[in-house]
Amino acid sequence: MNKTFITLIALTIGIIMASAQAVYTDPISNVNYNYNLSSFEAYVSPGSNSGAGSLNAKGDVTILSSFVVEDKEYIVKGIWHDAFKNCQEITSVTIPESVTNIYYNAFKGCTNLSTIELPNSLVELEKNVFEGCKNLTSVKMPESLKVIPEECFYGCSSLTSIQFPSNLEQIGQGAFLDCSELTSIEIPSTVKIIRNYAFSGCYIRNLYISDLTAWFKISFGSGSSNPFHIDEFRRSDNNYRYLYLNGTEVTDLVIPEGIETINSNTIIGLNLNFLTIPSSVKVIRSYAFQECNINNIRYLSTSPIQATEGSLFYGCRIENVHVTSIKWLCELNASMNNSSSDSFSPLNGVNHLFIDGEEITNVIIPEDVKVVCNSAFRGFHGIKTLKISDSVTAIGRSAFRGCYNLTSVVLGNSVTEIRSGAFLSCSNLTDISFNNGLTTIGDGAFGGCKKLSSILLPESLTTIDNQAFWNCESLIEVNMPESVTSIGVDAFLNTSIYESQPEGAYYVGNWCCGYKGEQTEEGEFIVKDGTVGVVELPNVGTISC
């Protein structure tokens, strides 16, 4: 027999011996253990649904730290996947200090499990370990754990208390999904990531933290990753949460100097007297603040803030905003000036604007501003008059949208473009002074300005876009300059001009701006002599004079 063959036989025997497994069943607890004959390590295993085995364990279960078979001791190192899955008669489990790993689904569906003691030796939990343990009421996590994995406590609907390890770094996706009785938690300052849906379906009202800077550095997944996430079905008029910093309730939230980015989903549901945003903040991500009641927001920055699409203060009620200058507000959202989205609003629904402690109701855009950025003053209810300086060339999308107390607007001589929705729903606007040099009035720019009755359009104007003056119910007097070359669909729909004309082609000046009444593709569309332009319309038949 050659040496190579002998070597192969020896290796094969070695591999077989190294992987040799046997099963031991504890006669007291009925728990199965798979043990390795060479490593002397053992793991709790499922056994089978019939006969002895872990799947038939009942009542209070104590897992062995070690056991002896044929004078050899085997150390229990872990609990295998599915080891106690759907063991509905287990009520408590004690795990020894020898255990370092608990694998996926280990206690999944143990519906009567109410108490479990996790050892300090534990270094890893896998996903879904306690999913569906609907009678589990409290858990103390060992200091050795750094990650709570995906859906670890999903559906633990009786869980009222969870004590996190002080060096925890990550809370996984859906980790506490539908833990509906969990109302109070403390998040360690070491946490860096909380993933999507981590606390979805919870009703946490009290959150305790020890380090505000650490909290603002957490990377949150979706909104339901924040413990304060508010599910739609639980929204109400008094749905506030309570944040405690070192045991003291936070009502004046001062974001620490040095924070440069406020991440999405960071602050949800708080009732704040003051929110102070320091000058170090350069970026505010979408939905950073949600469902809060804020009496005062104080911005300390003098430089523009970069913002991402989506409302920064989604669903928030804001009474007062304090800023360093009008120019700063004009440039607050400058990074979004080329966006086609109207969804973004840095501040929306503010009742009062303050600069250096003085309330500003008559806004004058200063000479060093070139563009009033998108949504800059959107929903500022306290503004009554507006004067645009000669340096401004464009008014951004939705810049003054929803300023329902605004009555008067004077444009500077350099404005060439009023972008879409710029003054949409300024329902008390009665006076607008257009400048010569203006070329474009964008989509819906003055839509819903219901008290606007008369406008004088400049001879420089070339384009009136779709629905530009739609739903301006009082609008009856409009001059139409010869310079106009394009008018969009429904630009003057539901105005007094429209309502005062009979069915058929309706006019603003010598422009046919639409058809009043029903019109089909087979019908004849008759326009009058002297018509200089016809709005492009769907379902229009033959056009004739």
Side-chain angles (χ1 to χ4, degrees):
M1 186 178 296
N2 62 46
K3 292 182 178 180
T4 301
F5 185 68
I6 293 172
T7 301
L8 287 172
I9 291 174
L11 285 172
T12 302
I13 293 172
I15 292 171
I16 291 172
M17 290 296 293
S19 61
Q21 301 279 330
V23 177
Y24 170 77
T25 300
D26 179 11
I28 298 175
S29 64
N30 213 27
V31 172
N32 268 8
Y33 299 86
N34 272 45
Y35 59 95
N36 188 291
L37 297 173
S38 58
S39 68
F40 301 104
E41 291 182 351
Y43 292 82
V44 178
S45 60
S48 63
N49 285 311
S50 58
S54 303
L55 294 177
N56 295 279
K58 300 178 180 179
D60 301 328
V61 173
T62 299
I63 294 174
L64 301 175
S65 60
S66 66
F67 55 85
V68 176
V69 176
E70 296 181 353
D71 296 326
K72 291 184 174 61
E73 184 180 24
Y74 296 88
I75 307 300
V76 178
K77 302 294 289 182
I79 302 172
W80 272 357
H81 64 84
D82 302 320
F84 295 96
K85 184 178 180 180
N86 295 328
C87 290
Q88 298 184 7
E89 295 188 56
I90 292 178
T91 56
S92 72
V93 177
T94 301
I95 302 173
E97 291 295 329
S98 60
V99 170
T100 60
N101 295 72
I102 302 177
Y103 297 94
Y104 65 90
N105 297 343
F107 296 95
K108 181 178 181 178
C110 294
T111 55
N112 284 303
L113 179 64
S114 60
T115 305
I116 190 159
E117 295 182 19
L118 298 176
N120 291 323
S121 56
L122 188 65
V123 295
E124 183 181 19
L125 283 172
E126 287 193 354
K127 65 179 182 178
N128 304 95
V129 166
F130 298 104
E131 179 185 344
C133 295
K134 64 181 183 181
N135 276 304
L136 188 63
T137 58
S138 65
V139 175
K140 180 181 179 181
M141 312 294 285
E143 288 295 306
S144 50
L145 276 180
K146 292 187 177 181
V147 177
I148 298 175
E150 177 182 343
E151 297 183 354
C152 188
F153 295 93
Y154 174 24
C156 294
S157 54
S158 296
L159 189 64
T160 58
S161 174
I162 183 82
Q163 185 174 335
F164 294 119
S166 61
N167 59 350
L168 183 67
E169 294 181 358
Q170 181 174 313
I171 300 175
Q173 179 169 310
F176 296 93
L177 183 65
D178 290 341
C179 293
S180 53
E181 294 300 314
L182 192 59
T183 61
S184 180
I185 60 169
E186 181 175 353
I187 300 290
S189 61
T190 52
V191 172
K192 297 178 177 63
I193 299 172
I194 302 180
R195 299 202 181 276
N196 293 356
Y197 312 111
F199 295 94
S200 182
C202 298
Y203 196 41
I204 295 171
R205 301 299 295 267
N206 303 293
L207 173 64
Y208 296 84
I209 62 174
S210 59
D211 188 332
L212 201 55
T213 298
W215 179 259
F216 275 90
K217 290 184 177 181
I218 292 176
S219 174
F220 293 95
S222 65
S224 51
S225 61
N226 189 305
F228 279 163
H229 168 71
I230 302 173
D231 286 311
E232 289 292 338
F233 72 93
R234 279 185 163 145
R235 294 178 190 272
S236 68
D237 291 337
N238 185 16
N239 212 9
Y240 299 128
R241 274 61 171 139
Y242 302 93
L243 177 67
Y244 295 87
L245 178 62
N246 295 315
T248 301
E249 183 186 349
V250 175
T251 57
D252 292 340
L253 176 56
V254 180
I255 298 174
E257 185 67 40
I259 295 295
E260 295 185 357
T261 299
I262 302 177
N263 290 321
S264 299
N265 311 308
T266 297
I267 298 295
I268 300 178
L270 297 187
N271 188 17
L272 298 173
N273 180 37
F274 259 99
L275 167 64
T276 302
I277 299 176
S279 58
S280 60
V281 171
K282 300 295 188 291
V283 178
I284 303 179
R285 303 203 183 280
S286 58
Y287 305 103
F289 302 88
Q290 301 174 37
E291 304 288 346
C292 295
N293 185 65
I294 307 174
N295 285 334
N296 297 277
I297 297 178
R298 182 190 290 118
Y299 284 92
L300 300 181
S301 177
T302 57
S303 302
I305 288 176
Q306 179 185 343
T308 55
E309 289 194 37
S311 177
L312 302 189
F313 291 89
Y314 176 78
C316 294
R317 292 157 295 279
I318 304 169
E319 184 67 19
N320 309 306
V321 63
H322 305 253
V323 300
T324 53
S325 68
I326 291 293
K327 180 184 178 182
W328 184 86
L329 265 179
C330 291
E331 297 176 345
L332 172 60
N333 193 24
S335 62
M336 295 295 293
N337 275 342
N338 294 321
S339 170
S340 61
S341 172
D342 274 335
S343 64
F344 176 83
S345 178
L347 291 165
N348 190 8
V350 174
N351 285 328
H352 304 284
L353 170 63
F354 290 86
I355 297 176
D356 294 330
E358 179 183 354
E359 183 174 3
I360 307 298
T361 59
N362 302 312
V363 172
I364 300 175
I365 306 300
E367 288 291 343
D368 51 353
V369 172
K370 292 184 178 180
V371 177
V372 180
C373 70
N374 293 357
S375 300
F377 296 85
R378 181 174 175 173
F380 275 46
H381 302 151
I383 297 176
K384 296 179 180 179
T385 67
L386 171 66
K387 184 178 180 180
I388 308 288
S389 71
D390 289 343
S391 63
V392 175
T393 60
I395 300 174
R397 298 170 67 94
S398 300
F400 297 92
R401 179 176 177 173
C403 294
Y404 57 67
N405 284 314
L406 181 64
T407 61
S408 172
V409 175
V410 177
L411 299 182
N413 293 325
S414 301
V415 175
T416 60
E417 181 183 8
I418 300 174
R419 294 173 183 166
S420 63
F423 295 94
L424 182 67
S425 299
C426 292
S427 53
N428 281 297
L429 183 62
T430 58
D431 184 24
I432 172 75
S433 296
F434 293 105
N435 62 298
N436 192 29
L438 180 69
T439 61
T440 303
I441 298 176
D443 293 352
F446 293 91
C449 294
K450 298 183 178 182
K451 291 189 178 181
L452 194 61
S453 61
S454 174
I455 56 175
L456 182 62
L457 299 173
E459 292 296 331
S460 56
L461 188 66
T462 60
T463 303
I464 302 173
D465 280 332
N466 299 341
Q467 298 182 329
F469 295 93
W470 169 80
N471 212 29
C472 292
E473 297 174 354
S474 302
L475 188 58
I476 190 65
E477 293 183 25
V478 179
N479 70 303
M480 187 59 67
E482 293 181 2
S483 56
V484 173
T485 58
S486 174
I487 296 180
V489 176
D490 296 336
F492 294 91
L493 185 67
N494 294 340
T495 62
S496 291
I497 296 173
Y498 170 85
E499 296 295 344
S500 66
Q501 298 185 41
E503 288 195 357
Y506 73 90
Y507 282 78
V508 178
N510 289 327
W511 265 85
C512 176
C513 290
Y515 190 91
K516 187 176 180 181
E518 295 185 6
Q519 177 70 23
T520 65
E521 292 182 4
E522 293 77 22
E524 185 177 22
F525 191 92
I526 302 174
V527 297
K528 66 184 182 182
D529 291 340
T531 298
V532 297
V534 178
V535 173
E536 183 179 345
L537 294 173
N539 300 323
V540 171
T542 303
I543 299 177
S544 60
C545 295

